[in-house]
């Protein structure tokens, strides 16, 4: 399934490249999307996350261009085209995908790399608007492709991730943390990655053989994400300032309670989510490593409640989908909303033997806002960015 999906994508992107530029690409790069098992909105608070790279990916085919010119064709947007000159300053485009390409080129130049002109074809199979980080996978794949064409090996995986985050923050206009890009760059097959978002140290946590990761799309497209996301970020920073800490990662639950006088109640609840979520993420990593599925399930359920009540980033359809999933699993697996929030997907860790029955159950009990059945993706924990 995974190999077949990749082969189809590779064929699609390679053919688009040949059709557009009349020659074979020099390099093909693939970078995965991700699903976060637990640790939501903790990354930009210097905290802990537990994502997993998945076998849905973005592919970039690249070859030398003429002079400092970059030409791009986007297979997933009706073969839409862009072209720009590397010597010109970054100019924001009204079409979002173009800002990712221009932003990565600009970010690599900011980092001191000298880039060569390039011909590029892009395609992917990460569901868009689902909270599975199609943008991060695009950014990491592009950063790797540009680097390998111009200065092979000049950046390690962490630098590729930081470059892709820089592009999002400074050029695309999303104040995201480092989680998505880092796991897309450094993911490990078979494992989730516990990341300390302050030091960027990672610890692989193998997914037990008898369990699988299932992603269930609520059918609610993520709306108003950027403004709500940025607002949460500012509230977290306000809370950190109130407590006199560099980031909420530095606060214990005892300090949170003892010092809450004078803090706006909303900012307090935002901080409580972050502080408790950091603790849950570390505990879930340890429980997953020990094969303690009961604890993982409990922590995932608590994480969802905290996102719903304290961080207020869930929507009713997602809450219902999480409840329906929990009713089926009855503690034999865990489920929660995953990603930035306001729609998107639920992630569940489920015994392999129950996947088919879970799908039937969800189809019987949940309908998307368009009265359709929910799409389920069984995801394999995958490796990070690679050259094919
Ligand atoms: C988005 C951001 C990440 C992270 C999550 C929430 O995916 O890109 O940096 O903050 O939301 O956990």
């Amino acid at each position: 399934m995974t190999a077949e999906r990749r082969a189809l994508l590779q064929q699609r992107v390679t053919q688009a490249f040949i059709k557009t530029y009349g020659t074979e690409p020099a390099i093909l790069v693939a970078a995965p999307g991700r699903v976060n098992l637990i640790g939501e909105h903790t990354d930009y608070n210097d905290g802990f996350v537990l994502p997993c790279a998945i076998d849905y990916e973005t592919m970039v085919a690249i070859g030398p261009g003429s002079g400092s010119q970059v030409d791009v064709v986007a297979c997933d947007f009706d073969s839409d085209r862009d072209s720009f000159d590397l010597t010109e300053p970054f100019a924001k485009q009204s079409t979002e995908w173009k800002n990712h390409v221009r932003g990565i080129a600009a970010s690599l130049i900011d980092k001191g790399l000298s880039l060569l002109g390039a011909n590029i074809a892009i395609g992917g199979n990460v569901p868009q608007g689902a909270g599975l980080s199609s943008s991060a996978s695009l950014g990491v794949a592009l950063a790797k492709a540009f680097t390998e064409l111009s200065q092979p090996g000049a950046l390690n995986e962490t630098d590729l991730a930081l470059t892709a985050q820089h592009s999002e923050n400074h050029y695309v206009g999303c104040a995201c943390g480092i989680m998505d890009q880092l796991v897309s760059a450094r993911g490990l097959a078979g494992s989730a990655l516990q990341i300390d978002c302050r030091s960027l140290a990672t610890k692989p946590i193998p997914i037990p053989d008898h369990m699988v990761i299932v992603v269930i799309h609520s059918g609610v497209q993520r709306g108003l994400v950027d403004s709500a996301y940025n607002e949460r970020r500012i509230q977290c920073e306000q809370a950190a300032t109130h407590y006199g800490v560099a980031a909420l990662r530095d606060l214990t639950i005892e300090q949170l309670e003892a010092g809450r006088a004078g803090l706006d109640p909303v900012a307090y609840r935002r901080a409580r989510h972050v502080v408790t979520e950091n603790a849950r993420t570390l505990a879930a990593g340890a429980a997953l490593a020990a094969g303690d599925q009961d604890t993982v399930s409990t922590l995932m359920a608590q994480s969802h409640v905290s996102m719903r009540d304290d961080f207020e980033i869930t929507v009713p359809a997602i809450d219902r989908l999480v409840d329906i999933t929990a009713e089926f699993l009855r503690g034999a697996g865990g489920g929660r909303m995953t990603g930035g929030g306001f729609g998107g997907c639920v992630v569940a860790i489920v015994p392999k033997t129950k996947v088919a029955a879970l799908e039937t159950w969800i189809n019987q009990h949940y309908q998307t806002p368009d009265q359709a059945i929910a799409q389920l993706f069984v995801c394999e924990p995958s490796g990070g960015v690679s050259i094919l």
Side-chain angles (χ1 to χ4, degrees), residues 27-177:
I27 306 166
L28 259 178
V29 174
R34 66 97 187 90
V35 61
N36 190 20
L37 303 182
I38 192 164
E40 224 61 85
H41 287 262
T42 44
D43 61 350
Y44 56 81
N45 290 297
D46 277 3
F48 300 94
V49 291
L50 189 61
C52 180
I54 56 177
D55 51 336
Y56 289 83
E57 57 194 357
T58 300
M59 225 173 253
V60 171
I62 197 166
S66 68
S68 51
Q69 179 79 13
V70 176
D71 282 298
V72 197
V73 57
C75 302
D76 301 326
F77 296 98
D78 284 335
S79 302
D80 194 12
R81 301 286 301 269
D82 191 22
S83 62
F84 59 96
D85 196 291
L86 289 166
T87 59
E88 282 168 11
F90 173 88
K92 189 139 184 160
Q93 305 296 298
S94 54
T95 314
E96 174 114 346
W97 74 262
K98 297 181 182 173
N99 293 321
H100 286 282
V101 186
R102 290 171 180 242
I104 291 291
S107 300
L108 288 166
I109 293 168
D110 290 349
K111 246 189 152 25
L113 263 75
S114 14
L115 297 186
L116 301 176
N119 291 331
I120 295 176
I122 301 170
N125 53 31
V126 184
Q128 289 178 20
L132 298 178
S133 292
S134 55
S135 301
S137 69
L138 171 61
V140 170
L142 281 165
K144 178 80 176 168
F146 270 119
T147 306
E148 288 310 303
L149 184 75
S150 304
Q151 283 180 243
L155 297 183
N156 64 25
E157 278 74 18
T158 301
D159 284 329
L160 293 172
L162 288 167
T163 304
Q165 184 200 20
H166 179 91
S167 167
E168 290 270 5
N169 292 172
H170 297 277
Y171 296 110
V172 179
C174 167
C176 65

Side-chain angles (χ1 to χ4, degrees), residues 303-317:
S303 167
H304 187 82
V305 169
S306 179
M307 289 190 289
R308 186 189 66 199
D309 298 345
D310 276 354
F311 219 63
E312 295 179 287
I313 52 169
T314 71
V315 293

Side-chain angles (χ1 to χ4, degrees), residues 153-204:
L155 297 183
N156 64 25
E157 278 74 18
T158 301
D159 284 329
L160 293 172
L162 288 167
T163 304
Q165 184 200 20
H166 179 91
S167 167
E168 290 270 5
N169 292 172
H170 297 277
Y171 296 110
V172 179
C174 167
C176 65
I178 189 63
M179 165 170 71
D180 309 342
Q181 292 79 9
L182 201 73
V183 72
S184 180
R186 288 176 51 183
L188 271 185
S191 292
L193 221 54
Q194 185 172 290
I195 304 173
D196 176 336
C197 296
R198 176 169 277 165
S199 67
L200 303 189
T202 58
K203 182 174 162 194

